[in-house]
Amino acid sequence: MGSLTVVGTGIQLGAQLTPEARVAITEADEVLYVVTDALVALWMERLNPRARSLQDLYAEGVSRRRTYDAMADEIMAAVRRGRDVCAAFYGHPGVFVDPSHVAIRRARAEGYPARMLPAVSAEDCLFADLGVNPGAAGCQSYEATDFLVRRRAVDPSAALVLWQVGIVGRLDLAPEGDRSRLPVLVEYLLEFYPPEHEALLYEAAPYPACDPVIEDVRLADVASAPVGRLATMYVPPSERRRPDAAMLARLGIPETHLR
Amino acid sequence: MRGEHRGLGEFLIELGENPGQLRRYRKDRRAALADSGLSPEHQQLLLSGDVKRIQAELQREYPDAKVFLLPGWDDVMSA
């Protein structure tokens, strides 16, 4: 009987692959992978010579939704052939990745054992590289275009992470990035934060020999900052939320316990 | 840049695969690179830390490789 294990390669080549994910890749009958870097692709095929890319399913003019369905179809076809299949995705396989979830759901619905293994996501790298604790004041995390079009409410007392600010407003791949809509993003953020508030533009290092790119800029200056295609923006809290006295009393928490 | 020197991609893969070597690299990049077998040009490239240039060089090293897709807004909308 076939099975499916979905793994993530982590962000940084090699060093962030978990031991469990490595075994899932090396011991699979078939490995189907989607990665963003040619060197990672080469490395995958060395880990398991039965690995092949699903990249060819991307085609110009084909909606990404259809492409993801085709990826899930391809993964499931291998599972139905009775193979132990490993599907490998860049970063964390369940974060900003859709076909991984679709394939898991389909496999389980058809009675095949299917499991997703956690992995190192870009957000994990961000917390480590910026030295910030999302638990300290809470953390809001949005894809930048989604953040704007839904006019997401911002709590300035919690941290804010915005993904894909380097292509905000673009629905296609924009391989060179597109900063033309950044002024719209800045304008919206200034409804919640003062213009001099700090923003960190962050790009994780894709290779172990490299350092992350971190730019510290005023929020008002983000539109003219060097925002890379893969950049994520981190906005620290700009204010502190006071505990609610009535809620503290209800919970039986003395106010002295809170800093 | 090539010839008797090892490839940039080979070195990066080995660095990712070998935590001890990676630790040594992070502790003293110049010393690790001096022992790496990389060409002087590739050593300088890695010391520059310029990811875009490194990726461009890798693309030259592996011209047939297909690369670099980025999820877009509709990926998130459907999640």
Side-chain angles (χ1 to χ4, degrees):
Chain A
M1 186 187 199
S3 70
L4 174 61
T5 308
V6 175
V7 305
T9 62
I11 300 299
Q12 205 169 86
L13 190 154
Q16 293 177 348
L17 185 70
T18 68
E20 191 180 16
R22 176 180 289 269
V23 170
I25 292 169
T26 56
E27 296 191 357
D29 295 328
E30 276 187 53
V31 178
L32 304 172
Y33 66 85
V34 181
V35 296
T36 57
D37 191 304
L39 198 59
V40 178
L42 182 72
W43 169 60
M44 292 297 299
E45 290 176 17
R46 286 198 186 169
L47 285 176
N48 188 328
R50 298 176 298 282
R52 64 186 164 93
S53 173
L54 294 178
Q55 190 101 338
D56 287 341
L57 296 174
Y58 280 103
E60 249 179 81
V62 177
S63 78
R64 235 189 242 119
R65 184 98 334 273
R66 191 179 294 178
T67 302
Y68 292 163
D69 276 344
M71 285 181 179
D73 287 345
E74 192 83 7
I75 293 167
M76 280 309 300
V79 172
R80 289 187 199 108
R81 287 196 296 270
R83 317 285 278 168
D84 285 323
V85 177
C86 177
F89 295 85
Y90 177 69
H92 186 300
V95 177
F96 277 62
V97 182
D98 203 33
S100 53
H101 290 292
V102 173
I104 291 264
R105 283 195 293 268
R106 284 194 200 167
R108 286 178 179 163
E110 293 180 29
Y112 295 102
R115 187 165 176 228
M116 180 183 288
L117 304 182
V120 176
S121 72
E123 194 164 55
D124 298 319
C125 297
L126 179 146
F127 293 138
D129 288 331
L130 299 187
V132 294
N133 174 4
C139 185
Q140 308 151 93
S141 186
Y142 299 109
E143 198 278 336
T145 304
D146 173 78
F147 174 74
L148 285 179
V149 299
R150 296 187 189 280
R151 297 188 70 86
R152 300 283 189 184
V154 175
D155 176 357
S157 71
L160 174 66
V161 177
L162 293 176
W163 298 96
Q164 302 185 167
V165 291
I167 54 166
V168 64
R170 289 288 295 262
L171 300 181
D172 52 352
L173 290 174
E176 299 305 317
D178 181 352
R179 299 161 53 212
S180 65
R181 278 85 161 199
L182 277 174
V184 181
L185 178 62
V186 171
E187 187 185 304
Y188 185 61
L189 286 169
L190 292 183
E191 292 181 19
F192 303 95
Y193 299 97
E196 68 277 6
H197 190 60
E198 173 193 41
L200 295 168
L201 297 163
Y202 169 79
E203 287 184 70
Y207 310 119
C210 299
D211 294 319
V213 177
I214 301 169
E215 294 282 343
D216 191 344
V217 296
R218 292 167 72 239
L219 205 47
D221 297 334
V222 164
S224 54
V227 180
R229 182 179 65 104
L230 294 169
T232 300
M233 183 157 68
Y234 175 83
V235 185
S238 62
E239 59 187 51
R240 191 177 167 131
R241 184 178 289 264
R242 294 180 59 79
D244 181 76
M247 186 58 80
L248 285 173
R250 250 184 107 184
L251 296 172
I253 300 171
E255 209 161 324
T256 51
H257 277 218
L258 295 176
R259 282 176 291 165
Chain B
M1 272 196 172
R2 290 162 196 147
E4 73 276 21
H5 298 292
R6 74 190 301 199
L8 180 63
E10 290 293 334
F11 176 73
L12 292 175
I13 288 175
E14 190 179 314
L15 211 53
E17 288 274 288
N18 186 331
Q21 191 177 340
L22 179 56
R23 186 178 166 80
R24 283 191 292 281
Y25 181 87
R26 286 185 171 148
K27 201 171 173 184
D28 187 344
R29 289 185 183 197
R30 287 183 186 279
L33 285 171
D35 294 338
S36 66
L38 288 169
S39 69
E41 293 88 348
H42 280 165
Q43 292 183 39
Q44 282 305 314
L45 181 60
L46 289 181
L47 284 173
S48 77
D50 187 330
V51 174
K52 278 187 182 165
R53 280 180 54 218
I54 292 169
Q55 287 178 328
E57 182 58 24
L58 288 169
Q59 192 69 77
R60 273 192 290 277
E61 206 165 277
Y62 303 103
D64 298 331
K66 295 175 187 169
V67 278
F68 311 126
L69 291 165
L70 186 66
W73 179 46
D74 51 342
D75 302 349
V76 183
M77 302 299 284
S78 63

PDB file of all heavy atoms in Angstrom, chain A residues 169-181:
ATOM      1  N   GLY A 169       1.040  43.751  -4.203  1.00  0.00           N
ATOM      2  CA  GLY A 169       0.133  44.192  -5.265  1.00  0.00           C
ATOM      3  C   GLY A 169       0.245  43.395  -6.543  1.00  0.00           C
ATOM      4  O   GLY A 169      -0.552  43.591  -7.465  1.00  0.00           O
ATOM      5  N   ARG A 170       1.206  42.483  -6.630  1.00  0.00           N
ATOM      6  CA  ARG A 170       1.371  41.675  -7.852  1.00  0.00           C
ATOM      7  C   ARG A 170       0.747  40.294  -7.645  1.00  0.00           C
ATOM      8  O   ARG A 170       0.925  39.671  -6.605  1.00  0.00           O
ATOM      9  CB  ARG A 170       2.860  41.503  -8.173  1.00  0.00           C
ATOM     10  CG  ARG A 170       3.538  42.762  -8.659  1.00  0.00           C
ATOM     11  CD  ARG A 170       3.106  43.148 -10.069  1.00  0.00           C
ATOM     12  NE  ARG A 170       3.511  42.187 -11.078  1.00  0.00           N
ATOM     13  CZ  ARG A 170       4.593  42.323 -11.848  1.00  0.00           C
ATOM     14  NH1 ARG A 170       5.365  43.384 -11.728  1.00  0.00           N
ATOM     15  NH2 ARG A 170       4.899  41.413 -12.754  1.00  0.00           N
ATOM     16  N   LEU A 171       0.052  39.824  -8.653  1.00  0.00           N
ATOM     17  CA  LEU A 171      -0.556  38.502  -8.565  1.00  0.00           C
ATOM     18  C   LEU A 171       0.245  37.457  -9.329  1.00  0.00           C
ATOM     19  O   LEU A 171      -0.002  36.270  -9.219  1.00  0.00           O
ATOM     20  CB  LEU A 171      -1.988  38.534  -9.115  1.00  0.00           C
ATOM     21  CG  LEU A 171      -2.932  39.475  -8.384  1.00  0.00           C
ATOM     22  CD1 LEU A 171      -4.318  39.414  -8.998  1.00  0.00           C
ATOM     23  CD2 LEU A 171      -3.007  39.131  -6.909  1.00  0.00           C
ATOM     24  N   ASP A 172       1.200  37.927 -10.121  1.00  0.00           N
ATOM     25  CA  ASP A 172       2.019  36.978 -10.888  1.00  0.00           C
ATOM     26  C   ASP A 172       3.371  36.804 -10.196  1.00  0.00           C
ATOM     27  O   ASP A 172       3.590  37.295  -9.088  1.00  0.00           O
ATOM     28  CB  ASP A 172       2.184  37.472 -12.324  1.00  0.00           C
ATOM     29  CG  ASP A 172       2.692  38.903 -12.363  1.00  0.00           C
ATOM     30  OD1 ASP A 172       2.759  39.521 -11.282  1.00  0.00           O
ATOM     31  OD2 ASP A 172       3.018  39.388 -13.452  1.00  0.00           O
ATOM     32  N   LEU A 173       4.296  36.118 -10.855  1.00  0.00           N
ATOM     33  CA  LEU A 173       5.551  35.760 -10.191  1.00  0.00           C
ATOM     34  C   LEU A 173       6.512  36.933  -9.990  1.00  0.00           C
ATOM     35  O   LEU A 173       7.258  36.947  -9.028  1.00  0.00           O
ATOM     36  CB  LEU A 173       6.263  34.660 -10.988  1.00  0.00           C
ATOM     37  CG  LEU A 173       5.579  33.301 -10.925  1.00  0.00           C
ATOM     38  CD1 LEU A 173       6.272  32.331 -11.857  1.00  0.00           C
ATOM     39  CD2 LEU A 173       5.581  32.747  -9.518  1.00  0.00           C
ATOM     40  N   ALA A 174       6.502  37.907 -10.883  1.00  0.00           N
ATOM     41  CA  ALA A 174       7.387  39.076 -10.781  1.00  0.00           C
ATOM     42  C   ALA A 174       8.798  38.686 -10.359  1.00  0.00           C
ATOM     43  O   ALA A 174       9.250  39.038  -9.260  1.00  0.00           O
ATOM     44  CB  ALA A 174       6.802  40.087  -9.793  1.00  0.00           C
ATOM     45  N   PRO A 175       9.517  37.971 -11.220  1.00  0.00           N
ATOM     46  CA  PRO A 175      10.826  37.424 -10.819  1.00  0.00           C
ATOM     47  C   PRO A 175      11.837  38.470 -10.358  1.00  0.00           C
ATOM     48  O   PRO A 175      12.708  38.172  -9.556  1.00  0.00           O
ATOM     49  CB  PRO A 175      11.329  36.702 -12.067  1.00  0.00           C
ATOM     50  CG  PRO A 175      10.320  36.892 -13.117  1.00  0.00           C
ATOM     51  CD  PRO A 175       9.145  37.606 -12.581  1.00  0.00           C
ATOM     52  N   GLU A 176      11.718  39.686 -10.853  1.00  0.00           N
ATOM     53  CA  GLU A 176      12.664  40.727 -10.423  1.00  0.00           C
ATOM     54  C   GLU A 176      12.122  41.556  -9.269  1.00  0.00           C
ATOM     55  O   GLU A 176      12.756  42.504  -8.826  1.00  0.00           O
ATOM     56  CB  GLU A 176      12.995  41.654 -11.598  1.00  0.00           C
ATOM     57  CG  GLU A 176      13.647  40.959 -12.787  1.00  0.00           C
ATOM     58  CD  GLU A 176      14.902  40.203 -12.395  1.00  0.00           C
ATOM     59  OE1 GLU A 176      15.700  40.742 -11.609  1.00  0.00           O
ATOM     60  OE2 GLU A 176      15.067  39.057 -12.854  1.00  0.00           O
ATOM     61  N   GLY A 177      10.936  41.194  -8.760  1.00  0.00           N
ATOM     62  CA  GLY A 177      10.318  42.001  -7.722  1.00  0.00           C
ATOM     63  C   GLY A 177       9.632  43.224  -8.324  1.00  0.00           C
ATOM     64  O   GLY A 177       9.800  43.524  -9.513  1.00  0.00           O
ATOM     65  N   ASP A 178       8.818  43.895  -7.526  1.00  0.00           N
ATOM     66  CA  ASP A 178       8.115  45.079  -8.000  1.00  0.00           C
ATOM     67  C   ASP A 178       7.788  45.952  -6.780  1.00  0.00           C
ATOM     68  O   ASP A 178       6.934  45.592  -5.976  1.00  0.00           O
ATOM     69  CB  ASP A 178       6.833  44.670  -8.732  1.00  0.00           C
ATOM     70  CG  ASP A 178       6.077  45.878  -9.279  1.00  0.00           C
ATOM     71  OD1 ASP A 178       6.454  47.024  -8.967  1.00  0.00           O
ATOM     72  OD2 ASP A 178       5.086  45.664 -10.010  1.00  0.00           O
ATOM     73  N   ARG A 179       8.484  47.090  -6.698  1.00  0.00           N
ATOM     74  CA  ARG A 179       8.300  47.945  -5.525  1.00  0.00           C
ATOM     75  C   ARG A 179       7.305  49.063  -5.794  1.00  0.00           C
ATOM     76  O   ARG A 179       7.125  49.944  -4.955  1.00  0.00           O
ATOM     77  CB  ARG A 179       9.650  48.535  -5.111  1.00  0.00           C
ATOM     78  CG  ARG A 179      10.655  47.461  -4.728  1.00  0.00           C
ATOM     79  CD  ARG A 179      12.084  47.980  -4.757  1.00  0.00           C
ATOM     80  NE  ARG A 179      12.240  49.171  -3.959  1.00  0.00           N
ATOM     81  CZ  ARG A 179      13.083  50.151  -4.227  1.00  0.00           C
ATOM     82  NH1 ARG A 179      13.847  50.091  -5.290  1.00  0.00           N
ATOM     83  NH2 ARG A 179      13.165  51.196  -3.448  1.00  0.00           N
ATOM     84  N   SER A 180       6.650  49.032  -6.947  1.00  0.00           N
ATOM     85  CA  SER A 180       5.849  50.186  -7.359  1.00  0.00           C
ATOM     86  C   SER A 180       4.637  50.444  -6.453  1.00  0.00           C
ATOM     87  O   SER A 180       4.140  51.551  -6.392  1.00  0.00           O
ATOM     88  CB  SER A 180       5.390  50.013  -8.815  1.00  0.00           C
ATOM     89  OG  SER A 180       4.514  48.915  -8.927  1.00  0.00           O
ATOM     90  N   ARG A 181       4.160  49.391  -5.773  1.00  0.00           N
ATOM     91  CA  ARG A 181       2.983  49.589  -4.902  1.00  0.00           C
ATOM     92  C   ARG A 181       3.361  49.774  -3.436  1.00  0.00           C
ATOM     93  O   ARG A 181       2.487  49.838  -2.577  1.00  0.00           O
ATOM     94  CB  ARG A 181       2.024  48.397  -5.013  1.00  0.00           C
ATOM     95  CG  ARG A 181       1.086  48.434  -6.189  1.00  0.00           C
ATOM     96  CD  ARG A 181       1.722  47.878  -7.424  1.00  0.00           C
ATOM     97  NE  ARG A 181       0.717  47.498  -8.413  1.00  0.00           N
ATOM     98  CZ  ARG A 181       0.955  46.671  -9.419  1.00  0.00           C
ATOM     99  NH1 ARG A 181       2.155  46.144  -9.577  1.00  0.00           N
ATOM    100  NH2 ARG A 181       0.002  46.379 -10.275  1.00  0.00           N
TER     101      ARG A 181
END
